[in-house]
Amino acid sequence: MDLVTLTQLIVLILENLKVKPRKHDLERISMAIAVYLLGVPITKLGIPPSTIYYYTRKLGVRKRREIRPNCPSCKSDKVIKNGSSRGKTKYKCNVCRRTFYDANSHGMSREQKERILKEYLNRMSMRGIAKVEGKPLTTVYSLIKRKGIVAYVNLLVLKEQLKSFTAKVTVFDESWTYLRVRHGSKRENLWIWNALADGLPFFTTGDRDYKTFSFLLNSLPKSEVNYTDDYSVYQVLDNHVASKKYTYTVESYNSYCRAHLARLARDTRAVNRSQRMVDYSLALLNVMYPVIYSREKTPLNEAYLRGVQNIRENLI
């Protein structure tokens, strides 16, 4: 029913009820009631809300109840409004007390999830992925973080199993990136310690000190020879050879990580805000794109490839 027809109907009803308004015309009140019943906020009608409510009760009609979504947790319809945030109405369930938005479903197919992970691991930012895939930034971030946690935990389990092997050669090096922090200085240095045991990547993140290096060292299998640069921390290694001549493979791996992850590029807008997200991103890279920096096949790298393949099949 349009506004004019509804107004004329209300006028006829009020005249039949012999209503005689004191301060406002009957036609004006009828139009205000019609507009109110059609859902326009009563603060914009120019007539006091109390007047509109009074004559609405005289008519014996009620405003149509707004259709509210069911609770996504318990599916209850006992839902009330609970304010708004960023222009979106928030709702609260009176049964399970959950607060939620009336948002469209952001479910994704297996193919789209895999595509988002590949885009992220090929130097696309999360914001760019959200624009290309047509999904909210929070949905993209949540997917990458969840899959990164799964990859990181499974890699820890796999590397613990690989400690029973003995590597022929292990090469060490560290690379630098930064975290953007909210308080204090804008940047906080973060060091990524990398080791290639028979060409297999092992990593840990933290400060450039012995404590962080010891975490990496404890996760590695035993090695016959250890190649490093001249950094003093490496002096604790057995069978140690300090020379830049042999560290080109791990330096290539550092460049490989920077080429695939936008958050590791120097002076980029896709900055790191969390050390954990750096760990999860490196774990995802090692699982989705496993690379062996050795031409020689050994029992260690063959077992690693089988384990990574199993993690990838169960990741998505």
Side-chain angles (χ1 to χ4, degrees), residues 116-126 129 252-266 270 281-282 284-286 288-291 293:
I116 287 176
L117 294 180
K118 288 182 178 179
E119 290 170 350
Y120 176 70
L121 297 175
N122 283 279
R123 214 170 186 177
M124 281 189 68
S125 66
M126 293 186 186
I129 295 173
S252 298
Y253 176 70
N254 295 340
S255 300
Y256 172 80
C257 294
R258 294 189 187 278
H260 279 265
L261 293 172
R263 62 174 57 244
L264 297 185
R266 301 288 176 86
S281 300
L282 290 171
L284 271 176
L285 180 62
N286 291 336
M288 296 294 292
Y289 296 105
V291 177
Y293 283 82

PDB file of all heavy atoms in Angstrom, residues 116-126 129 252-266 270 281-282 284-286 288-291 293:
ATOM      1  N   ILE A 116      43.121 -18.665  -2.443  1.00  0.00           N
ATOM      2  CA  ILE A 116      43.495 -17.561  -1.556  1.00  0.00           C
ATOM      3  C   ILE A 116      44.864 -17.820  -0.935  1.00  0.00           C
ATOM      4  O   ILE A 116      45.710 -16.907  -0.856  1.00  0.00           O
ATOM      5  CB  ILE A 116      42.423 -17.378  -0.466  1.00  0.00           C
ATOM      6  CG1 ILE A 116      41.154 -16.765  -1.074  1.00  0.00           C
ATOM      7  CG2 ILE A 116      42.936 -16.495   0.669  1.00  0.00           C
ATOM      8  CD1 ILE A 116      40.016 -16.639  -0.102  1.00  0.00           C
ATOM      9  N   LEU A 117      45.122 -19.050  -0.506  1.00  0.00           N
ATOM     10  CA  LEU A 117      46.420 -19.371   0.076  1.00  0.00           C
ATOM     11  C   LEU A 117      47.543 -19.211  -0.945  1.00  0.00           C
ATOM     12  O   LEU A 117      48.625 -18.696  -0.627  1.00  0.00           O
ATOM     13  CB  LEU A 117      46.413 -20.792   0.636  1.00  0.00           C
ATOM     14  CG  LEU A 117      45.498 -21.044   1.836  1.00  0.00           C
ATOM     15  CD1 LEU A 117      45.593 -22.497   2.273  1.00  0.00           C
ATOM     16  CD2 LEU A 117      45.836 -20.129   2.994  1.00  0.00           C
ATOM     17  N   LYS A 118      47.290 -19.627  -2.190  1.00  0.00           N
ATOM     18  CA  LYS A 118      48.315 -19.487  -3.228  1.00  0.00           C
ATOM     19  C   LYS A 118      48.556 -18.017  -3.560  1.00  0.00           C
ATOM     20  O   LYS A 118      49.697 -17.604  -3.802  1.00  0.00           O
ATOM     21  CB  LYS A 118      47.895 -20.254  -4.481  1.00  0.00           C
ATOM     22  CG  LYS A 118      47.968 -21.765  -4.317  1.00  0.00           C
ATOM     23  CD  LYS A 118      47.585 -22.482  -5.591  1.00  0.00           C
ATOM     24  CE  LYS A 118      47.719 -23.991  -5.432  1.00  0.00           C
ATOM     25  NZ  LYS A 118      47.326 -24.715  -6.680  1.00  0.00           N
ATOM     26  N   GLU A 119      47.494 -17.214  -3.581  1.00  0.00           N
ATOM     27  CA  GLU A 119      47.673 -15.783  -3.828  1.00  0.00           C
ATOM     28  C   GLU A 119      48.476 -15.129  -2.710  1.00  0.00           C
ATOM     29  O   GLU A 119      49.342 -14.286  -2.966  1.00  0.00           O
ATOM     30  CB  GLU A 119      46.302 -15.110  -3.954  1.00  0.00           C
ATOM     31  CG  GLU A 119      45.553 -15.487  -5.226  1.00  0.00           C
ATOM     32  CD  GLU A 119      44.112 -15.007  -5.222  1.00  0.00           C
ATOM     33  OE1 GLU A 119      43.642 -14.552  -4.158  1.00  0.00           O
ATOM     34  OE2 GLU A 119      43.448 -15.094  -6.269  1.00  0.00           O
ATOM     35  N   TYR A 120      48.206 -15.525  -1.482  1.00  0.00           N
ATOM     36  CA  TYR A 120      48.935 -14.963  -0.348  1.00  0.00           C
ATOM     37  C   TYR A 120      50.408 -15.349  -0.401  1.00  0.00           C
ATOM     38  O   TYR A 120      51.285 -14.541  -0.061  1.00  0.00           O
ATOM     39  CB  TYR A 120      48.307 -15.456   0.954  1.00  0.00           C
ATOM     40  CG  TYR A 120      49.044 -15.014   2.191  1.00  0.00           C
ATOM     41  CD1 TYR A 120      49.026 -13.686   2.599  1.00  0.00           C
ATOM     42  CD2 TYR A 120      49.767 -15.926   2.959  1.00  0.00           C
ATOM     43  CE1 TYR A 120      49.703 -13.278   3.740  1.00  0.00           C
ATOM     44  CE2 TYR A 120      50.431 -15.522   4.103  1.00  0.00           C
ATOM     45  CZ  TYR A 120      50.399 -14.202   4.481  1.00  0.00           C
ATOM     46  OH  TYR A 120      51.082 -13.797   5.600  1.00  0.00           O
ATOM     47  N   LEU A 121      50.694 -16.575  -0.832  1.00  0.00           N
ATOM     48  CA  LEU A 121      52.071 -17.063  -0.892  1.00  0.00           C
ATOM     49  C   LEU A 121      52.770 -16.673  -2.179  1.00  0.00           C
ATOM     50  O   LEU A 121      53.885 -17.152  -2.441  1.00  0.00           O
ATOM     51  CB  LEU A 121      52.080 -18.585  -0.726  1.00  0.00           C
ATOM     52  CG  LEU A 121      51.550 -19.093   0.617  1.00  0.00           C
ATOM     53  CD1 LEU A 121      51.494 -20.609   0.626  1.00  0.00           C
ATOM     54  CD2 LEU A 121      52.400 -18.583   1.769  1.00  0.00           C
ATOM     55  N   ASN A 122      52.139 -15.839  -2.984  1.00  0.00           N
ATOM     56  CA  ASN A 122      52.774 -15.294  -4.189  1.00  0.00           C
ATOM     57  C   ASN A 122      52.763 -13.775  -4.151  1.00  0.00           C
ATOM     58  O   ASN A 122      52.472 -13.105  -5.133  1.00  0.00           O
ATOM     59  CB  ASN A 122      52.091 -15.815  -5.451  1.00  0.00           C
ATOM     60  CG  ASN A 122      52.510 -17.241  -5.770  1.00  0.00           C
ATOM     61  OD1 ASN A 122      53.562 -17.470  -6.344  1.00  0.00           O
ATOM     62  ND2 ASN A 122      51.688 -18.203  -5.377  1.00  0.00           N
ATOM     63  N   ARG A 123      53.014 -13.254  -2.962  1.00  0.00           N
ATOM     64  CA  ARG A 123      53.277 -11.838  -2.701  1.00  0.00           C
ATOM     65  C   ARG A 123      52.060 -10.943  -2.880  1.00  0.00           C
ATOM     66  O   ARG A 123      52.186  -9.760  -3.176  1.00  0.00           O
ATOM     67  CB  ARG A 123      54.435 -11.327  -3.559  1.00  0.00           C
ATOM     68  CG  ARG A 123      55.263 -10.272  -2.855  1.00  0.00           C
ATOM     69  CD  ARG A 123      56.523  -9.954  -3.587  1.00  0.00           C
ATOM     70  NE  ARG A 123      57.346  -9.034  -2.800  1.00  0.00           N
ATOM     71  CZ  ARG A 123      58.548  -8.626  -3.174  1.00  0.00           C
ATOM     72  NH1 ARG A 123      59.062  -9.047  -4.320  1.00  0.00           N
ATOM     73  NH2 ARG A 123      59.232  -7.797  -2.427  1.00  0.00           N
ATOM     74  N   MET A 124      50.874 -11.444  -2.700  1.00  0.00           N
ATOM     75  CA  MET A 124      49.697 -10.590  -2.653  1.00  0.00           C
ATOM     76  C   MET A 124      49.385 -10.263  -1.206  1.00  0.00           C
ATOM     77  O   MET A 124      49.490 -11.123  -0.321  1.00  0.00           O
ATOM     78  CB  MET A 124      48.490 -11.270  -3.304  1.00  0.00           C
ATOM     79  CG  MET A 124      48.490 -11.219  -4.820  1.00  0.00           C
ATOM     80  SD  MET A 124      46.917 -11.804  -5.505  1.00  0.00           S
ATOM     81  CE  MET A 124      45.807 -10.494  -4.980  1.00  0.00           C
ATOM     82  N   SER A 125      48.999  -9.033  -0.945  1.00  0.00           N
ATOM     83  CA  SER A 125      48.616  -8.650   0.407  1.00  0.00           C
ATOM     84  C   SER A 125      47.215  -9.173   0.706  1.00  0.00           C
ATOM     85  O   SER A 125      46.433  -9.473  -0.205  1.00  0.00           O
ATOM     86  CB  SER A 125      48.649  -7.131   0.553  1.00  0.00           C
ATOM     87  OG  SER A 125      47.655  -6.526  -0.269  1.00  0.00           O
ATOM     88  N   MET A 126      46.884  -9.261   1.990  1.00  0.00           N
ATOM     89  CA  MET A 126      45.552  -9.714   2.371  1.00  0.00           C
ATOM     90  C   MET A 126      44.480  -8.751   1.881  1.00  0.00           C
ATOM     91  O   MET A 126      43.390  -9.175   1.470  1.00  0.00           O
ATOM     92  CB  MET A 126      45.467  -9.853   3.892  1.00  0.00           C
ATOM     93  CG  MET A 126      46.331 -10.950   4.465  1.00  0.00           C
ATOM     94  SD  MET A 126      46.028 -11.151   6.233  1.00  0.00           S
ATOM     95  CE  MET A 126      47.291 -12.352   6.661  1.00  0.00           C
ATOM     96  N   ILE A 129      43.929  -9.474  -1.765  1.00  0.00           N
ATOM     97  CA  ILE A 129      43.188 -10.730  -1.936  1.00  0.00           C
ATOM     98  C   ILE A 129      41.712 -10.515  -1.664  1.00  0.00           C
ATOM     99  O   ILE A 129      40.847 -11.042  -2.370  1.00  0.00           O
ATOM    100  CB  ILE A 129      43.760 -11.813  -1.008  1.00  0.00           C
ATOM    101  CG1 ILE A 129      45.196 -12.144  -1.405  1.00  0.00           C
ATOM    102  CG2 ILE A 129      42.910 -13.070  -1.043  1.00  0.00           C
ATOM    103  CD1 ILE A 129      45.897 -13.076  -0.442  1.00  0.00           C
ATOM    104  N   SER A 252      69.998 -17.850  -0.508  1.00  0.00           N
ATOM    105  CA  SER A 252      68.993 -17.993  -1.570  1.00  0.00           C
ATOM    106  C   SER A 252      67.620 -18.283  -0.981  1.00  0.00           C
ATOM    107  O   SER A 252      66.596 -17.791  -1.480  1.00  0.00           O
ATOM    108  CB  SER A 252      69.394 -19.116  -2.527  1.00  0.00           C
ATOM    109  OG  SER A 252      70.612 -18.824  -3.165  1.00  0.00           O
ATOM    110  N   TYR A 253      67.591 -19.062   0.091  1.00  0.00           N
ATOM    111  CA  TYR A 253      66.311 -19.348   0.755  1.00  0.00           C
ATOM    112  C   TYR A 253      65.735 -18.077   1.379  1.00  0.00           C
ATOM    113  O   TYR A 253      64.519 -17.865   1.341  1.00  0.00           O
ATOM    114  CB  TYR A 253      66.504 -20.425   1.816  1.00  0.00           C
ATOM    115  CG  TYR A 253      65.255 -20.704   2.611  1.00  0.00           C
ATOM    116  CD1 TYR A 253      64.164 -21.343   2.033  1.00  0.00           C
ATOM    117  CD2 TYR A 253      65.154 -20.312   3.947  1.00  0.00           C
ATOM    118  CE1 TYR A 253      63.007 -21.599   2.760  1.00  0.00           C
ATOM    119  CE2 TYR A 253      64.001 -20.559   4.677  1.00  0.00           C
ATOM    120  CZ  TYR A 253      62.931 -21.201   4.072  1.00  0.00           C
ATOM    121  OH  TYR A 253      61.794 -21.442   4.790  1.00  0.00           O
ATOM    122  N   ASN A 254      66.584 -17.223   1.951  1.00  0.00           N
ATOM    123  CA  ASN A 254      66.105 -15.941   2.478  1.00  0.00           C
ATOM    124  C   ASN A 254      65.449 -15.106   1.383  1.00  0.00           C
ATOM    125  O   ASN A 254      64.371 -14.525   1.572  1.00  0.00           O
ATOM    126  CB  ASN A 254      67.265 -15.157   3.097  1.00  0.00           C
ATOM    127  CG  ASN A 254      67.838 -15.847   4.318  1.00  0.00           C
ATOM    128  OD1 ASN A 254      67.185 -16.685   4.927  1.00  0.00           O
ATOM    129  ND2 ASN A 254      69.065 -15.493   4.672  1.00  0.00           N
ATOM    130  N   SER A 255      66.086 -15.042   0.221  1.00  0.00           N
ATOM    131  CA  SER A 255      65.512 -14.292  -0.905  1.00  0.00           C
ATOM    132  C   SER A 255      64.232 -14.937  -1.413  1.00  0.00           C
ATOM    133  O   SER A 255      63.294 -14.249  -1.824  1.00  0.00           O
ATOM    134  CB  SER A 255      66.539 -14.205  -2.047  1.00  0.00           C
ATOM    135  OG  SER A 255      67.708 -13.551  -1.622  1.00  0.00           O
ATOM    136  N   TYR A 256      64.178 -16.266  -1.355  1.00  0.00           N
ATOM    137  CA  TYR A 256      62.978 -16.995  -1.782  1.00  0.00           C
ATOM    138  C   TYR A 256      61.786 -16.623  -0.904  1.00  0.00           C
ATOM    139  O   TYR A 256      60.678 -16.393  -1.400  1.00  0.00           O
ATOM    140  CB  TYR A 256      63.269 -18.494  -1.709  1.00  0.00           C
ATOM    141  CG  TYR A 256      62.075 -19.386  -1.939  1.00  0.00           C
ATOM    142  CD1 TYR A 256      61.622 -19.665  -3.225  1.00  0.00           C
ATOM    143  CD2 TYR A 256      61.414 -19.981  -0.861  1.00  0.00           C
ATOM    144  CE1 TYR A 256      60.541 -20.503  -3.433  1.00  0.00           C
ATOM    145  CE2 TYR A 256      60.336 -20.820  -1.067  1.00  0.00           C
ATOM    146  CZ  TYR A 256      59.908 -21.081  -2.352  1.00  0.00           C
ATOM    147  OH  TYR A 256      58.832 -21.904  -2.550  1.00  0.00           O
ATOM    148  N   CYS A 257      62.005 -16.520   0.404  1.00  0.00           N
ATOM    149  CA  CYS A 257      60.921 -16.142   1.322  1.00  0.00           C
ATOM    150  C   CYS A 257      60.470 -14.713   1.063  1.00  0.00           C
ATOM    151  O   CYS A 257      59.265 -14.421   1.068  1.00  0.00           O
ATOM    152  CB  CYS A 257      61.384 -16.305   2.762  1.00  0.00           C
ATOM    153  SG  CYS A 257      61.716 -18.010   3.259  1.00  0.00           S
ATOM    154  N   ARG A 258      61.385 -13.810   0.831  1.00  0.00           N
ATOM    155  CA  ARG A 258      61.022 -12.420   0.563  1.00  0.00           C
ATOM    156  C   ARG A 258      60.275 -12.287  -0.761  1.00  0.00           C
ATOM    157  O   ARG A 258      59.392 -11.434  -0.907  1.00  0.00           O
ATOM    158  CB  ARG A 258      62.270 -11.537   0.532  1.00  0.00           C
ATOM    159  CG  ARG A 258      62.965 -11.418   1.875  1.00  0.00           C
ATOM    160  CD  ARG A 258      64.054 -10.357   1.828  1.00  0.00           C
ATOM    161  NE  ARG A 258      64.831 -10.346   3.051  1.00  0.00           N
ATOM    162  CZ  ARG A 258      64.476  -9.737   4.162  1.00  0.00           C
ATOM    163  NH1 ARG A 258      63.327  -9.087   4.211  1.00  0.00           N
ATOM    164  NH2 ARG A 258      65.246  -9.763   5.231  1.00  0.00           N
ATOM    165  N   ALA A 259      60.615 -13.132  -1.719  1.00  0.00           N
ATOM    166  CA  ALA A 259      59.957 -13.062  -3.027  1.00  0.00           C
ATOM    167  C   ALA A 259      58.531 -13.586  -2.980  1.00  0.00           C
ATOM    168  O   ALA A 259      57.698 -13.195  -3.804  1.00  0.00           O
ATOM    169  CB  ALA A 259      60.762 -13.840  -4.066  1.00  0.00           C
ATOM    170  N   HIS A 260      58.227 -14.462  -2.019  1.00  0.00           N
ATOM    171  CA  HIS A 260      56.909 -15.080  -1.968  1.00  0.00           C
ATOM    172  C   HIS A 260      55.975 -14.464  -0.941  1.00  0.00           C
ATOM    173  O   HIS A 260      54.757 -14.612  -1.059  1.00  0.00           O
ATOM    174  CB  HIS A 260      57.047 -16.581  -1.674  1.00  0.00           C
ATOM    175  CG  HIS A 260      57.391 -17.395  -2.881  1.00  0.00           C
ATOM    176  ND1 HIS A 260      56.444 -18.029  -3.657  1.00  0.00           N
ATOM    177  CD2 HIS A 260      58.584 -17.658  -3.467  1.00  0.00           C
ATOM    178  CE1 HIS A 260      57.028 -18.659  -4.646  1.00  0.00           C
ATOM    179  NE2 HIS A 260      58.328 -18.456  -4.561  1.00  0.00           N
ATOM    180  N   LEU A 261      56.501 -13.793   0.075  1.00  0.00           N
ATOM    181  CA  LEU A 261      55.666 -13.232   1.136  1.00  0.00           C
ATOM    182  C   LEU A 261      55.809 -11.718   1.143  1.00  0.00           C
ATOM    183  O   LEU A 261      56.903 -11.190   1.380  1.00  0.00           O
ATOM    184  CB  LEU A 261      56.071 -13.797   2.501  1.00  0.00           C
ATOM    185  CG  LEU A 261      55.798 -15.290   2.704  1.00  0.00           C
ATOM    186  CD1 LEU A 261      56.423 -15.769   4.006  1.00  0.00           C
ATOM    187  CD2 LEU A 261      54.309 -15.581   2.690  1.00  0.00           C
ATOM    188  N   ALA A 262      54.686 -11.025   0.884  1.00  0.00           N
ATOM    189  CA  ALA A 262      54.723  -9.563   0.833  1.00  0.00           C
ATOM    190  C   ALA A 262      55.108  -8.962   2.174  1.00  0.00           C
ATOM    191  O   ALA A 262      55.738  -7.907   2.230  1.00  0.00           O
ATOM    192  CB  ALA A 262      53.359  -9.026   0.389  1.00  0.00           C
ATOM    193  N   ARG A 263      54.774  -9.629   3.267  1.00  0.00           N
ATOM    194  CA  ARG A 263      55.053  -9.082   4.589  1.00  0.00           C
ATOM    195  C   ARG A 263      56.555  -9.095   4.905  1.00  0.00           C
ATOM    196  O   ARG A 263      56.982  -8.451   5.849  1.00  0.00           O
ATOM    197  CB  ARG A 263      54.281  -9.846   5.656  1.00  0.00           C
ATOM    198  CG  ARG A 263      54.632 -11.290   5.770  1.00  0.00           C
ATOM    199  CD  ARG A 263      53.927 -11.958   6.951  1.00  0.00           C
ATOM    200  NE  ARG A 263      52.487 -11.839   6.887  1.00  0.00           N
ATOM    201  CZ  ARG A 263      51.773 -11.181   7.781  1.00  0.00           C
ATOM    202  NH1 ARG A 263      52.373 -10.564   8.780  1.00  0.00           N
ATOM    203  NH2 ARG A 263      50.464 -11.136   7.690  1.00  0.00           N
ATOM    204  N   LEU A 264      57.351  -9.841   4.158  1.00  0.00           N
ATOM    205  CA  LEU A 264      58.795  -9.884   4.401  1.00  0.00           C
ATOM    206  C   LEU A 264      59.582  -8.958   3.473  1.00  0.00           C
ATOM    207  O   LEU A 264      60.795  -8.837   3.620  1.00  0.00           O
ATOM    208  CB  LEU A 264      59.318 -11.319   4.237  1.00  0.00           C
ATOM    209  CG  LEU A 264      58.765 -12.359   5.211  1.00  0.00           C
ATOM    210  CD1 LEU A 264      59.466 -13.691   5.007  1.00  0.00           C
ATOM    211  CD2 LEU A 264      58.913 -11.901   6.649  1.00  0.00           C
ATOM    212  N   ALA A 265      58.900  -8.336   2.515  1.00  0.00           N
ATOM    213  CA  ALA A 265      59.589  -7.410   1.618  1.00  0.00           C
ATOM    214  C   ALA A 265      60.007  -6.152   2.383  1.00  0.00           C
ATOM    215  O   ALA A 265      59.340  -5.716   3.318  1.00  0.00           O
ATOM    216  CB  ALA A 265      58.701  -7.047   0.437  1.00  0.00           C
ATOM    217  N   ARG A 266      61.106  -5.560   1.970  1.00  0.00           N
ATOM    218  CA  ARG A 266      61.605  -4.360   2.647  1.00  0.00           C
ATOM    219  C   ARG A 266      60.744  -3.157   2.285  1.00  0.00           C
ATOM    220  O   ARG A 266      60.384  -2.955   1.118  1.00  0.00           O
ATOM    221  CB  ARG A 266      63.063  -4.095   2.240  1.00  0.00           C
ATOM    222  CG  ARG A 266      64.005  -5.244   2.568  1.00  0.00           C
ATOM    223  CD  ARG A 266      64.260  -5.365   4.051  1.00  0.00           C
ATOM    224  NE  ARG A 266      65.076  -6.503   4.399  1.00  0.00           N
ATOM    225  CZ  ARG A 266      66.408  -6.512   4.400  1.00  0.00           C
ATOM    226  NH1 ARG A 266      67.068  -5.423   4.033  1.00  0.00           N
ATOM    227  NH2 ARG A 266      67.068  -7.587   4.754  1.00  0.00           N
ATOM    228  N   ALA A 270      52.500  -3.973   3.397  1.00  0.00           N
ATOM    229  CA  ALA A 270      52.007  -5.223   3.985  1.00  0.00           C
ATOM    230  C   ALA A 270      52.907  -5.593   5.159  1.00  0.00           C
ATOM    231  O   ALA A 270      53.678  -6.551   5.106  1.00  0.00           O
ATOM    232  CB  ALA A 270      51.979  -6.333   2.940  1.00  0.00           C
ATOM    233  N   SER A 281      53.080 -17.750   8.445  1.00  0.00           N
ATOM    234  CA  SER A 281      53.269 -17.516   7.016  1.00  0.00           C
ATOM    235  C   SER A 281      54.426 -18.348   6.475  1.00  0.00           C
ATOM    236  O   SER A 281      54.323 -18.943   5.386  1.00  0.00           O
ATOM    237  CB  SER A 281      53.530 -16.026   6.757  1.00  0.00           C
ATOM    238  OG  SER A 281      52.444 -15.241   7.209  1.00  0.00           O
ATOM    239  N   LEU A 282      55.532 -18.417   7.210  1.00  0.00           N
ATOM    240  CA  LEU A 282      56.664 -19.243   6.774  1.00  0.00           C
ATOM    241  C   LEU A 282      56.293 -20.722   6.760  1.00  0.00           C
ATOM    242  O   LEU A 282      56.706 -21.463   5.858  1.00  0.00           O
ATOM    243  CB  LEU A 282      57.859 -18.998   7.691  1.00  0.00           C
ATOM    244  CG  LEU A 282      58.525 -17.627   7.567  1.00  0.00           C
ATOM    245  CD1 LEU A 282      59.551 -17.432   8.673  1.00  0.00           C
ATOM    246  CD2 LEU A 282      59.183 -17.471   6.204  1.00  0.00           C
ATOM    247  N   LEU A 284      53.264 -21.952   6.226  1.00  0.00           N
ATOM    248  CA  LEU A 284      52.414 -22.148   5.045  1.00  0.00           C
ATOM    249  C   LEU A 284      53.252 -22.228   3.772  1.00  0.00           C
ATOM    250  O   LEU A 284      52.984 -23.050   2.889  1.00  0.00           O
ATOM    251  CB  LEU A 284      51.411 -20.992   4.929  1.00  0.00           C
ATOM    252  CG  LEU A 284      50.075 -21.140   5.646  1.00  0.00           C
ATOM    253  CD1 LEU A 284      49.261 -19.869   5.494  1.00  0.00           C
ATOM    254  CD2 LEU A 284      49.296 -22.333   5.114  1.00  0.00           C
ATOM    255  N   LEU A 285      54.262 -21.368   3.669  1.00  0.00           N
ATOM    256  CA  LEU A 285      55.125 -21.377   2.483  1.00  0.00           C
ATOM    257  C   LEU A 285      55.859 -22.700   2.354  1.00  0.00           C
ATOM    258  O   LEU A 285      55.947 -23.270   1.258  1.00  0.00           O
ATOM    259  CB  LEU A 285      56.112 -20.213   2.557  1.00  0.00           C
ATOM    260  CG  LEU A 285      57.100 -20.081   1.389  1.00  0.00           C
ATOM    261  CD1 LEU A 285      56.362 -19.841   0.086  1.00  0.00           C
ATOM    262  CD2 LEU A 285      58.093 -18.956   1.661  1.00  0.00           C
ATOM    263  N   ASN A 286      56.366 -23.214   3.470  1.00  0.00           N
ATOM    264  CA  ASN A 286      57.102 -24.483   3.420  1.00  0.00           C
ATOM    265  C   ASN A 286      56.205 -25.671   3.111  1.00  0.00           C
ATOM    266  O   ASN A 286      56.669 -26.670   2.558  1.00  0.00           O
ATOM    267  CB  ASN A 286      57.815 -24.714   4.758  1.00  0.00           C
ATOM    268  CG  ASN A 286      58.954 -23.745   4.986  1.00  0.00           C
ATOM    269  OD1 ASN A 286      59.522 -23.203   4.034  1.00  0.00           O
ATOM    270  ND2 ASN A 286      59.286 -23.502   6.242  1.00  0.00           N
ATOM    271  N   MET A 288      52.982 -25.416   1.382  1.00  0.00           N
ATOM    272  CA  MET A 288      52.359 -25.279   0.062  1.00  0.00           C
ATOM    273  C   MET A 288      53.378 -25.346  -1.071  1.00  0.00           C
ATOM    274  O   MET A 288      53.085 -25.857  -2.148  1.00  0.00           O
ATOM    275  CB  MET A 288      51.596 -23.960   0.004  1.00  0.00           C
ATOM    276  CG  MET A 288      50.427 -23.852   0.970  1.00  0.00           C
ATOM    277  SD  MET A 288      49.088 -24.999   0.592  1.00  0.00           S
ATOM    278  CE  MET A 288      48.487 -24.314  -0.957  1.00  0.00           C
ATOM    279  N   TYR A 289      54.577 -24.834  -0.841  1.00  0.00           N
ATOM    280  CA  TYR A 289      55.621 -24.845  -1.874  1.00  0.00           C
ATOM    281  C   TYR A 289      56.911 -25.411  -1.281  1.00  0.00           C
ATOM    282  O   TYR A 289      57.866 -24.675  -1.016  1.00  0.00           O
ATOM    283  CB  TYR A 289      55.865 -23.439  -2.415  1.00  0.00           C
ATOM    284  CG  TYR A 289      54.678 -22.846  -3.131  1.00  0.00           C
ATOM    285  CD1 TYR A 289      53.904 -21.858  -2.540  1.00  0.00           C
ATOM    286  CD2 TYR A 289      54.326 -23.280  -4.411  1.00  0.00           C
ATOM    287  CE1 TYR A 289      52.810 -21.315  -3.196  1.00  0.00           C
ATOM    288  CE2 TYR A 289      53.233 -22.747  -5.072  1.00  0.00           C
ATOM    289  CZ  TYR A 289      52.487 -21.763  -4.455  1.00  0.00           C
ATOM    290  OH  TYR A 289      51.400 -21.226  -5.105  1.00  0.00           O
ATOM    291  N   PRO A 290      56.959 -26.710  -1.035  1.00  0.00           N
ATOM    292  CA  PRO A 290      58.177 -27.298  -0.448  1.00  0.00           C
ATOM    293  C   PRO A 290      59.348 -27.247  -1.434  1.00  0.00           C
ATOM    294  O   PRO A 290      59.217 -27.618  -2.599  1.00  0.00           O
ATOM    295  CB  PRO A 290      57.759 -28.738  -0.141  1.00  0.00           C
ATOM    296  CG  PRO A 290      56.633 -29.018  -1.087  1.00  0.00           C
ATOM    297  CD  PRO A 290      55.921 -27.711  -1.286  1.00  0.00           C
ATOM    298  N   VAL A 291      60.483 -26.761  -0.948  1.00  0.00           N
ATOM    299  CA  VAL A 291      61.685 -26.630  -1.763  1.00  0.00           C
ATOM    300  C   VAL A 291      62.842 -27.276  -1.022  1.00  0.00           C
ATOM    301  O   VAL A 291      63.024 -27.054   0.186  1.00  0.00           O
ATOM    302  CB  VAL A 291      62.004 -25.150  -2.059  1.00  0.00           C
ATOM    303  CG1 VAL A 291      63.296 -25.032  -2.855  1.00  0.00           C
ATOM    304  CG2 VAL A 291      60.859 -24.505  -2.830  1.00  0.00           C
ATOM    305  N   TYR A 293      66.907 -27.454  -0.999  1.00  0.00           N
ATOM    306  CA  TYR A 293      68.099 -26.790  -1.524  1.00  0.00           C
ATOM    307  C   TYR A 293      69.285 -27.755  -1.487  1.00  0.00           C
ATOM    308  O   TYR A 293      70.320 -27.489  -0.900  1.00  0.00           O
ATOM    309  CB  TYR A 293      68.400 -25.533  -0.708  1.00  0.00           C
ATOM    310  CG  TYR A 293      67.494 -24.380  -1.043  1.00  0.00           C
ATOM    311  CD1 TYR A 293      66.226 -24.289  -0.481  1.00  0.00           C
ATOM    312  CD2 TYR A 293      67.874 -23.397  -1.954  1.00  0.00           C
ATOM    313  CE1 TYR A 293      65.376 -23.240  -0.792  1.00  0.00           C
ATOM    314  CE2 TYR A 293      67.035 -22.349  -2.279  1.00  0.00           C
ATOM    315  CZ  TYR A 293      65.785 -22.275  -1.694  1.00  0.00           C
ATOM    316  OH  TYR A 293      64.953 -21.241  -2.017  1.00  0.00           O
TER     317      TYR A 293
END
